[in-house]
């Protein structure tokens, strides 16, 4: 049949249109979901969810709520206080996996760029499984515009508090105003019934989340039903470098803390690493607490570069283009391959695209001198340390530091032929986290070995 236009149903409520559409799909007419959605002028993904729900409810099951059991479910054993409901009732919480939680409560969310609800992409499922794992240090690098913050910082915070109202989380972002936007999104989903329409309602199932006497503001919230003497908030938000002394948390989420400004120099990167290692880690404890980093790469040797090198970290890296030959992108429904090519064209340097969108460090890509140029300059008859009388030798030194998170200390010895003006590479060294005694020995070694005219040291 040819579907009618949706104008005749303009005065119908959304609930009525979805109900009639479900009947058309599951009834004797056996319309397709696409036909019914066009006919009634409604969202195809949402209709698909409702059809799926009705089908599941019609199937006999031994335990229909094995994955997610709301607060109104049968109570647990007497004296069992595991997973209490927000109301403080002695009720067993069977919330299921994060993936099940997301599928149940957030099918109403519409992509602001595409104006549709996207099915959960596979890489989101990978992230969910990582969050459900026992990894105590988790690093998640994604390209921009891939809903990483919505998934990890907003939805997972709600999931943790539904599982355990006593859970304490700190959210750290590049600035306090940006961090506060996350808390605003979380509180909106805890208080606004209208968001859920006629679908499963997080507030009905697990709320109320806010008690009449609880203190909620733009910096922290305390959810209802907490059964702990701890004074720390359920969720607290901070800008990076924000004071967290005196606060304890079960986990800390660092969301897009790296920017081109605060990662511009090795010193600024080391400062952020110190903040993580000396302040944040102590707030969650060495054994039980968890640190979760989610963000986009901004510099070749930013904080994420050093974190992924640590053996204790579980690192997941997601490139925008996953298969160039087959023109496949990470999230085709939302960011198709052609959009990825457009993003590449808009980047001034190919190296920037590889870093920011592909999450790849590509040494030398986009450099002033190509490998072919360097190969032409190589004199295979000369050895390291060779120089001729009459050359003027200049030593250059690029400092880094001796900490484990420091970069590479590099030294280059150049020889200048004063007659021809040609320059020659005489010697060099490059060492990660070179300590002061080693650097001192290297300087004296070169000074004793070569007639160095001057040392040029980076400020």
């Amino acid at each position: 049949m040819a579907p009618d236009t949706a104008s005749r149903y303009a005065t119908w409520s959304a609930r009525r249109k979805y109900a009639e559409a479900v009947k058309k799909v599951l009834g004797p007419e056996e319309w397709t979901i696409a036909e019914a959605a066009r006919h009634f002028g409604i969202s195809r993904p949402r209709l698909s969810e409702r059809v799926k729900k009705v089908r599941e409810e019609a199937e006999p099951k031994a335990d229909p709520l094995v994955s997610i059991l709301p607060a109104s479910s049968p109570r647990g054993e007497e004296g069992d206080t595991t997973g209490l409901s927000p109301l403080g009732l002695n009720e067993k919480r069977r919330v299921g996996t994060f993936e099940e939680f997301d599928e149940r409560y957030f099918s109403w969310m519409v992509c602001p760029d595409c104006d549709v609800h996207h099915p959960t992409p596979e890489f989101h499922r990978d992230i969910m499984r990582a969050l459900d794992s026992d990894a105590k240090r988790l690093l998640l690098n994604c390209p921009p515009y891939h809903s990483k913050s919505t998934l990890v910082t907003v939805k997972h915070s709600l999931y943790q508090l539904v599982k355990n109202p006593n859970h304490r989380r700190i959210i750290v972002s590049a600035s306090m105003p940006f961090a506060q936007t996350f808390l605003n999104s979380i509180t909106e989903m805890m208080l606004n019934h209208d968001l859920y329409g006629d679908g499963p309602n997080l507030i009905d199932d697990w709320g109320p989340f806010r008690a009449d006497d609880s203190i909620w503001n733009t910096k922290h919230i305390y959810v209802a039903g907490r059964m702990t003497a701890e004074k720390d908030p359920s969720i607290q938000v901070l800008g990076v470098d924000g004071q967290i002394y005196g606060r304890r948390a079960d986990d800390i989420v660092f969301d897009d803390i790296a920017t081109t400004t605060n990662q511009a120099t090795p010193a600024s990167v080391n400062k952020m690493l110190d903040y993580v290692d000396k302040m944040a880690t102590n707030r969650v404890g060495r054994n039980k607490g968890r640190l979760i980093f989610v963000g986009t790469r901004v510099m070749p040797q930013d904080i994420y570069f050093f974190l992924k090198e640590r053996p204790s970290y579980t690192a997941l890296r997601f490139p925008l283009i996953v298969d160039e030959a087959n023109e496949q992108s990470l999230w085709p429904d939302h960011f198709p391959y052609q959009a990825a090519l457009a993003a590449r064209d808009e980047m001034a340097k190919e190296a920037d695209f590889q870093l920011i969108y592909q999450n790849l460090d590509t040494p030398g890509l986009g450099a002033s001198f190509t490998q072919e140029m360097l190969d032409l300059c190589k004199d295979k008859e000369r050895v390291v340390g060779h120089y001729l009388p009459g050359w003027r030798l200049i030593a250059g030194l690029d400092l880094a530091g001796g900490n484990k998170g420091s970069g590479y200390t590099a030294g280059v010895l150049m020889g200048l032929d004063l007659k021809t003006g040609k320059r020659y590479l005489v010697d060099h060294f490059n060492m990660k986290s070179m300590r002061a005694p080693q650097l001192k020995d290297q300087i004296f070694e070169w000074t004793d070995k070569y007639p160095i005219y001057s040392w040029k040291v980076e400020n």
Side-chain angles (χ1 to χ4, degrees), residues 14 50 66 86 93 95 110 146 163-164 230 232 242 258 277 279 312 330 365 378 382 385 405 413:
R50 283 160 174 76
V66 68
R93 288 199 154 188
V95 185
V110 174
H146 279 65
K163 284 206 308 179
N164 178 14
E230 301 291 346
D232 306 299
D277 294 338
M279 294 183 66
S312 60
L330 180 64
L365 185 63
K378 188 173 183 180
R382 293 179 56 244
L413 182 62

Side-chain angles (χ1 to χ4, degrees), residues 324-395:
E324 190 88 58
N326 294 311
E327 300 186 352
Q328 183 179 355
S329 64
L330 180 64
W331 194 356
D333 292 342
H334 169 63
F335 210 123
Y337 179 76
Q338 293 303 319
L341 294 183
R344 174 187 283 172
D345 292 340
E346 292 168 357
M347 303 297 290
K349 300 177 181 178
E350 174 66 17
D352 291 341
F353 176 81
Q354 292 295 328
L355 179 70
I356 296 171
Y357 284 93
Q358 295 297 98
N359 286 296
L360 285 174
D361 292 296
T362 313
L365 185 63
S368 300
F369 302 104
T370 66
Q371 186 63 47
E372 290 75 14
M373 295 177 184
L374 296 175
D375 290 340
L376 290 173
C377 295
K378 188 173 183 180
D379 185 352
K380 296 182 180 180
E381 296 181 357
R382 293 179 56 244
V383 296
V384 173
H386 174 81
Y387 65 94
L388 297 177
W391 288 8
R392 181 161 290 178
L393 304 187
I394 309 294

Side-chain angles (χ1 to χ4, degrees), residues 212-249:
D212 293 338
D213 59 347
S214 64
I215 301 174
W216 286 31
N217 56 38
T218 59
K219 297 181 180 179
H220 62 250
I221 63 172
Y222 294 81
V223 300
R226 283 172 28 126
M227 300 184 68
T228 175
E230 301 291 346
K231 66 182 185 304
D232 306 299
S234 301
I235 299 180
Q236 177 190 8
V237 295
L238 298 168
V240 72
D241 290 338
Q243 180 64 263
I244 55 177
Y245 282 128
R247 297 292 186 188
R248 291 285 178 181

Side-chain angles (χ1 to χ4, degrees), residues 72-376:
S72 58
S73 60
R75 299 183 179 187
E77 297 297 329
E78 184 177 355
D80 184 357
T81 58
T82 303
L84 299 176
S85 77
L87 297 177
L89 301 177
N90 189 25
E91 296 169 349
K92 264 293 208 179
R93 288 199 154 188
R94 297 163 61 190
V95 185
T97 65
F98 182 27
E99 188 174 339
E100 292 167 333
F101 179 83
D102 179 57
E103 291 286 351
R104 177 175 174 83
Y105 291 112
F106 299 114
S107 60
W108 54 267
M109 296 190 77
V110 174
C111 172
D113 297 320
C114 307
D115 202 29
V116 297
H117 173 77
H118 294 297
T120 303
E122 190 59 34
F123 82 97
H124 273 197
R125 300 186 192 277
D126 292 338
I127 292 175
M128 292 175 184
R129 286 188 284 268
L131 290 168
D132 276 338
S133 73
D134 295 329
K136 297 300 182 184
R137 301 292 183 265
L138 191 58
L139 172 61
L140 307 167
N141 284 138
C142 300
Y145 314 114
H146 279 65
S147 297
K148 58 186 182 297
S149 296
T150 300
L151 180 65
V152 178
T153 309
V154 177
K155 291 180 179 180
H156 191 253
S157 295
L158 291 164
Y159 174 65
Q160 290 291 74
L161 289 173
V162 165
K163 284 206 308 179
N164 178 14
N166 295 326
H167 192 83
R168 299 162 300 168
R169 168 168 286 187
I170 296 174
I171 298 172
V172 183
S173 192
S175 67
M176 184 60 164
F178 199 59
Q180 287 172 322
T181 63
F182 296 135
L183 186 59
N184 181 68
S185 297
I186 292 168
T187 56
E188 184 74 4
M189 293 180 188
M190 287 181 169
L191 301 176
N192 189 352
H193 284 269
D194 294 338
L195 292 176
Y196 301 94
D198 59 351
N201 189 315
L202 184 70
I203 306 169
D204 288 341
D205 285 353
W206 301 105
F209 292 101
R210 183 176 185 178
D212 293 338
D213 59 347
S214 64
I215 301 174
W216 286 31
N217 56 38
T218 59
K219 297 181 180 179
H220 62 250
I221 63 172
Y222 294 81
V223 300
R226 283 172 28 126
M227 300 184 68
T228 175
E230 301 291 346
K231 66 182 185 304
D232 306 299
S234 301
I235 299 180
Q236 177 190 8
V237 295
L238 298 168
V240 72
D241 290 338
Q243 180 64 263
I244 55 177
Y245 282 128
R247 297 292 186 188
R248 291 285 178 181
D250 298 298
D251 59 27
I252 302 179
V253 174
F254 296 88
D255 191 305
D256 270 331
I257 57 173
T259 67
T260 53
T261 301
N262 64 29
Q263 304 291 287
T265 65
S268 60
V269 175
N270 287 334
K271 180 181 178 182
M272 188 173 287
L273 284 167
D274 284 344
Y275 174 76
V276 170
D277 294 338
K278 297 177 181 178
M279 294 183 66
T281 303
N282 292 334
R283 296 306 99 199
V284 298
R286 293 287 176 178
N287 298 321
K288 295 183 179 180
R290 194 180 202 191
L291 301 181
I292 302 169
F293 293 82
V294 55
T296 298
R297 297 294 304 278
V298 295
M299 291 286 187
Q301 290 198 341
D302 54 22
I303 185 173
Y304 302 129
F305 170 83
F306 293 102
L307 292 179
K308 70 181 175 65
E309 297 297 317
R310 296 180 173 181
S312 60
Y313 275 67
T314 299
L316 276 69
R317 177 188 67 83
F318 299 99
L320 173 59
I321 299 176
V322 296
D323 188 341
E324 190 88 58
N326 294 311
E327 300 186 352
Q328 183 179 355
S329 64
L330 180 64
W331 194 356
D333 292 342
H334 169 63
F335 210 123
Y337 179 76
Q338 293 303 319
L341 294 183
R344 174 187 283 172
D345 292 340
E346 292 168 357
M347 303 297 290
K349 300 177 181 178
E350 174 66 17
D352 291 341
F353 176 81
Q354 292 295 328
L355 179 70
I356 296 171
Y357 284 93
Q358 295 297 98
N359 286 296
L360 285 174
D361 292 296
T362 313
L365 185 63
S368 300
F369 302 104
T370 66
Q371 186 63 47
E372 290 75 14
M373 295 177 184
L374 296 175
D375 290 340
L376 290 173

